[in-house]
Amino acid sequence: MASIKGSRRRGLALHLPLILGTLLSAFPFYWAVIMSTHTSSEIFSYPPKLLPGTHFPENVRHLFDAVDFFGSMWNSLLVAVSVTFLVLFFDSLAAFVFAKFAFPGRRPLFGLLMVIFMVPAQLSVIPQFVVMARIGWIGSMTSLIVPAAANAFGIFWMRQYMRSAIPDELLDASRLDGANFLRQYWHVALPVVRPGLAFLGIFTFMGQWNDFAWPLIALTDPDNVTLQVALSQLNGTHGTTDYGIVMTGALLALVPLLIVFALGAKQIIGDLAKGAVRG
């Protein structure tokens, strides 16, 4: 009996910090929901309102009148989904070569990749804009998709993951069966590294969805912008910003991120659980 009580106390001591951490992490989302249901004056009232209000439909209507919400959301989805699929393909393909194949110049090329990884992205904005302008892509979604189709972080992440996740014996066996490079990549490597791909997909989608600076520069047509740029138009001047509408737009913009995160997390947890059962 004493051992059962002791195990319960240990379980409570273990789970209580996790529960508190979960509540603290979820509070910003709850606060966003609360603010999206109130007017701007009610948001700044004292004491602060901790329960939902009744102005959410009104805020949604004003939001749709102020910006082309669904048009800009479609633009963001087009960019984020396209970039995510391109990054998953090109980064995993390059990482597979770096991780499992020896070729002349592999170390210098990987060192160059690490140098690119450490260079801040802000330094490439002006050269990137010049290149896009000379090609004639400024103002189109292509200027957002093509430059982000591969990145140093994704190659580095997948290379490190593949080095430990893919046994050399598995590749040797596939070569004995007559598998060429693409078959080894598609049928041997990718099924093993799905948790790593799921993380990279979530990371890439969230980064592209929340990107603001480059779409603001590259998309010159104000009627053809991504969601984050469109929501920035809600910020008024001289203290006239309606924060109820702003928070409503921010809350609705979170919905695709939550869906992608839930699907990706389910993939990661499911594959890890399968690996644990097989182990």
Side-chain angles (χ1 to χ4, degrees):
M1 190 69 178
S3 61
I4 295 177
K5 290 182 178 180
S7 62
R8 288 178 177 176
R9 292 193 187 97
R10 287 192 297 270
L12 181 61
L14 175 64
H15 288 90
L16 185 59
L18 297 177
I19 294 173
L20 292 176
T22 302
L23 293 176
L24 289 175
S25 301
F27 182 77
F29 298 99
Y30 173 76
W31 189 240
V33 172
I34 296 300
M35 287 194 290
S36 66
T37 60
H38 290 285
T39 63
S40 187
S41 58
E42 291 174 341
I43 290 174
F44 291 98
S45 63
Y46 185 83
K49 298 182 181 298
L50 299 178
L51 296 177
T54 60
H55 294 277
F56 183 74
E58 179 182 350
N59 289 337
V60 171
R61 185 172 64 253
H62 290 325
L63 171 66
F64 292 164
D65 291 338
V67 297
D68 183 12
F69 185 85
F70 291 107
S72 57
M73 176 177 278
W74 165 251
N75 293 335
S76 290
L77 281 174
L78 175 63
V79 173
V81 172
S82 300
V83 170
T84 299
F85 277 103
L86 290 173
V87 165
L88 290 179
F89 174 70
F90 287 119
D91 285 9
S92 62
L93 188 63
F96 183 52
V97 174
F98 275 118
K100 293 299 175 180
F101 292 89
F103 58 90
R106 182 176 67 169
R107 290 183 179 275
L109 281 176
F110 190 74
L112 178 61
L113 183 72
M114 290 297 95
V115 172
I116 297 174
F117 182 29
M118 292 184 288
V119 174
Q122 291 79 3
L123 294 180
S124 64
V125 170
I126 295 178
Q128 187 169 292
F129 182 85
V130 172
V131 172
M132 294 296 105
R134 290 182 177 178
I135 298 176
W137 287 352
I138 290 296
S140 68
M141 294 298 166
T142 311
S143 63
L144 305 183
I145 297 173
V146 173
N151 58 72
F153 168 77
I155 298 174
F156 172 74
W157 161 253
M158 292 306 303
R159 183 247 189 189
Q160 299 302 108
Y161 195 93
M162 288 180 174
R163 289 186 65 185
S164 59
I166 303 175
D168 293 334
E169 295 79 8
L170 189 61
L171 294 178
D172 293 338
S174 67
R175 293 189 190 101
L176 291 176
D177 290 338
N180 57 22
F181 170 77
L182 288 179
R183 289 191 63 186
Q184 292 177 48
Y185 165 75
W186 191 259
H187 295 288
V188 178
L190 289 189
V192 176
V193 298
R194 283 187 299 180
L197 289 172
F199 167 78
L200 181 60
I202 295 172
F203 183 84
T204 303
F205 185 92
M206 293 179 66
Q208 291 300 314
W209 184 265
N210 291 323
D211 191 16
F212 173 75
W214 178 241
L216 180 65
I217 296 171
L219 299 179
T220 54
D221 186 358
D223 296 326
N224 187 29
V225 296
T226 57
L227 185 57
Q228 302 303 326
V229 178
L231 292 179
S232 70
Q233 300 172 3
L234 298 175
N235 294 323
T237 58
H238 306 296
T240 59
T241 302
D242 191 327
Y243 290 96
I245 300 176
V246 171
M247 292 310 303
T248 300
L251 181 65
L252 295 180
L254 279 175
V255 174
L257 291 181
L258 295 176
I259 294 174
V260 169
F261 182 80
L263 294 176
K266 181 179 180 181
Q267 177 69 42
I268 294 173
I269 295 173
D271 285 338
L272 291 179
K274 291 178 183 177
V277 171
R278 286 195 295 267

